[in-house]
Each structure stands twice: as C-alpha cells, then as structure tokens.
Amino acid sequence: MSENKKINWFPGHMAKALNQMTDEMKKVDMLIYVLDSRAPFSCLNPKFDALSVNKPVLYVLNKSDLADDVKTEKYKKLLNAKQNSLCIVLNSTLSGANKQIEPIMKNLCKDKIKKYNNKGIKINLRAMVVGVPNSGKSTLINNLCGQKKTLTGDKAGVTRGKQWVLLKNGFEVLDTPGTLWPNLDNQIVAHNLAIIGSIKNEVVDINELAIYLLNYLKLNYKEAINLKYQIKIENLTNLEILEQIAIKKHYLLKGNEIDYDRTCFSIIDDFRKGKLGKITLDE
C-alpha cells in the first residue's frame, strides 16, 4: 500500500471548456446544474457559482437511486434556499424525467417568457447544463429530448465539446464537458469526487482511495460493509477490513498473498454500482 498523495486533475480541455462556458453564459437564460446525489456539495464548483450570477438555476440532484434518501432531502432543502433557484431530486436514467423538469424550467424563466409573449416574439430560451464529470448531464439531456442526442458514458471525460440540442418545450439546451476546478485544495472534496468517478482512475491511487472509502463507511455506514462482505469489522483496522474483503472475494495471488489492487478496484466499483447500498459522502 502506498503513501497518501494529493488528488488533483485539471487537464487542458477543462480549462478551454471553462473559457467557452464563460462566453456562452452571457447568451443563456438559465442554468441546469447537475449534481451527483452521492456527493452533492463536493460537486458544487465555485467557478460555476461565479458564472451563474443573476441567472436562475435548476439544481438536479441526480443518481438519487444510489444515494442516502435522508441526506438527499437535507441537501435539497439547502439548495432550494438559494436565491432564484429550485432543486429537484432525480434519476435521469428513468424515462419520464423530462416531465418533472420542463415545468420547472418554464417556472424559473416565467418572467422572460411573459415578456416575449407580450411582444409577440416567438423565441427559444436557452439553458446551459453544467456539472462535474460523470454527473449524468448528457443522460439528462437525452431524457429531455426523448432520444439519444449526446454522448454518454460511465466514466469521466466523455463529453469534450459543446452541443446545442433543441427540445420540444421551447428551450434549447447546451451540453458542456464535465469540468472541475484548477486546484482541489479541499482533499475531502477531491476524494469524494474520485470515489464517485468524477476524476479518472488513472490519476488517483486506487489503493489509498479504497482505504479512505472504507474508513468513511466504517464511521458512517458500517452495516454496509457487514451486509455486503459478511465480515465483522469491530476492532479491525481499515487495512485489516480490506484484507478480509480480499479473502471473502478470493482475490489472492500465489502463496495466498492479498491482491490489493484487484480488491481496491472492486470496493470502489461496488460503491459506484450501488452494491453497498444507498450511501452519501459528506464533506
């Protein structure tokens, strides 16, 4: 097992994307801010807050089927308390998500819609969809369209360029690349983003990340470990828990040595696929 190292990932295409988004923000009427419900406040990018000044914001707590319901409701109330904003809890992979979102989009832009109607102007309003990588932005847009219009994937960095998509409700939406911020000073946030898949596996120490996750689960969701892996974690260190999981999964090398890499990847994968239950990572 290796020593802890700082997690930070801000490739060149993200810097370019932020500059493009700054320019496009002047042209849009509202922002759709997609957050992963498993770590919603870690997904709040301070750069986006600066971009969205004086714009109505629809916060989408996405992937809600994988998150702690009680904590999701707590975060929903906090986001609804923000000025000129509304928050909705959603699983954008389910059909019919558009039926929940479209009325809220119109409500947030009702003053502008009324203004154009009074002038007899028929124009499509524009919404920019933003979020960290792998938060489900493109899946959400495809659901709004009722068909596959954008690229999707279960890893960070699938969307690279901007894509305008016309909806049937009088809106155009702009899909943007998943974007982080240049310096992840808060390493709790960085670890949370890495665990939910917003930071590429290739740039993090998966072994250290798995130990971090096990420690969080031990403190907050210890039954998740007990139920999934059928081991009693009382009085065990995080490393000992990991080794017990490896034995249960038969992830062993020659001589019955622990295959740490395979075990750590498996633990992270179990979390991401919801096999550990509905869990939310707090800051």
Side-chain angles (χ1 to χ4, degrees):
M1 304 296 287
S2 59
E3 296 182 0
N4 294 3
K5 65 177 182 179
K6 183 177 180 181
I7 296 175
N8 201 39
W9 183 51
F10 192 71
H13 76 270
M14 287 191 185
K16 181 180 179 181
L18 274 177
N19 290 333
Q20 291 178 338
M21 289 159 67
T22 300
D23 293 336
E24 293 292 341
M25 181 56 71
K26 302 168 188 175
K27 308 171 188 176
V28 302
D29 302 291
M30 67 171 293
L31 199 69
I32 300 177
Y33 203 151
V34 183
L35 308 173
D36 190 318
S37 294
R38 296 171 297 175
F41 271 38
S42 293
C43 294
L44 286 170
N45 189 333
K47 292 288 184 181
F48 295 155
D49 291 337
L51 286 173
S52 61
V53 174
N54 300 322
K55 301 280 185 181
V57 180
L58 168 58
Y59 291 99
V60 178
L61 285 170
N62 197 26
K63 303 187 181 184
S64 59
D65 56 312
L66 300 173
D68 184 321
D69 293 327
V70 173
K71 290 184 178 181
T72 297
E73 277 303 309
K74 179 188 76 172
Y75 286 120
K76 179 182 177 182
K77 289 178 182 178
L78 290 171
L79 292 168
N80 270 326
K82 286 177 170 280
Q83 189 174 5
N84 204 21
S85 301
L86 288 171
C87 178
I88 185 171
V89 176
L90 199 70
N91 174 5
S92 64
T93 62
L94 298 178
S95 62
N98 58 317
K99 295 178 182 178
Q100 299 180 60
I101 293 178
E102 290 180 1
I104 299 175
M105 292 173 67
K106 290 181 178 179
N107 184 43
L108 283 168
C109 296
K110 61 180 183 294
D111 292 339
K112 185 162 284 191
I113 292 172
K114 182 178 179 181
K115 176 182 174 182
Y116 285 133
N117 286 341
N118 289 340
K119 292 183 177 181
I121 299 174
K122 188 174 182 180
I123 189 171
N124 292 319
L125 296 185
R126 288 187 153 191
M128 181 187 290
V129 183
V130 300
V132 298
N134 199 36
S135 58
K137 302 180 305 301
S138 298
T139 301
L140 176 66
I141 291 176
N142 288 337
N143 201 311
L144 286 170
C145 296
Q147 57 185 307
K148 188 171 183 178
K149 290 280 189 177
T150 62
L151 293 174
T152 63
D154 60 355
K155 60 183 180 179
V158 173
T159 302
R160 284 300 181 93
K162 65 179 184 179
Q163 301 180 72
W164 280 105
V165 180
L166 180 63
L167 306 184
K168 295 178 181 178
N169 67 341
F171 276 86
E172 290 179 75
V173 292
L174 174 62
D175 188 19
T176 60
T179 310
L180 299 173
W181 38 112
N183 189 9
L184 285 167
D185 289 325
N186 187 330
Q187 283 298 287
I188 295 176
V189 168
H191 279 77
N192 289 348
L193 291 173
I195 290 169
I196 64 175
S198 294
I199 296 175
K200 282 188 174 181
N201 289 342
E202 292 82 358
V203 300
V204 301
D205 184 333
I206 290 292
N207 293 352
E208 187 270 325
L209 194 64
I211 287 289
Y212 179 93
L213 175 59
L214 284 175
N215 185 65
Y216 182 85
L217 294 175
K218 186 170 70 172
L219 295 174
N220 299 278
Y221 296 94
K222 68 178 182 179
E223 285 305 311
I225 302 175
N226 292 335
L227 291 173
K228 171 61 181 173
Y229 303 114
Q230 297 297 302
I231 59 175
K232 294 181 179 180
I233 66 172
E234 287 74 13
N235 303 318
L236 294 181
T237 66
N238 296 325
L239 181 57
E240 288 170 338
I241 294 171
L242 190 149
E243 290 171 344
Q244 287 296 312
I245 293 172
I247 293 169
K248 282 284 184 178
K249 285 177 170 282
H250 304 289
Y251 290 167
L252 303 173
L253 302 169
K254 289 183 179 179
N256 283 332
E257 291 186 11
I258 302 295
D259 188 337
Y260 288 104
D261 289 344
R262 188 180 180 192
T263 305
C264 291
F265 272 106
S266 175
I267 292 168
I268 298 297
D269 191 57
D270 284 344
F271 171 85
R272 291 176 181 171
K273 291 180 178 176
K275 293 181 180 179
L276 295 173
K278 304 185 79 171
I279 293 168
T280 298
L281 305 170
D282 292 312
E283 286 189 34

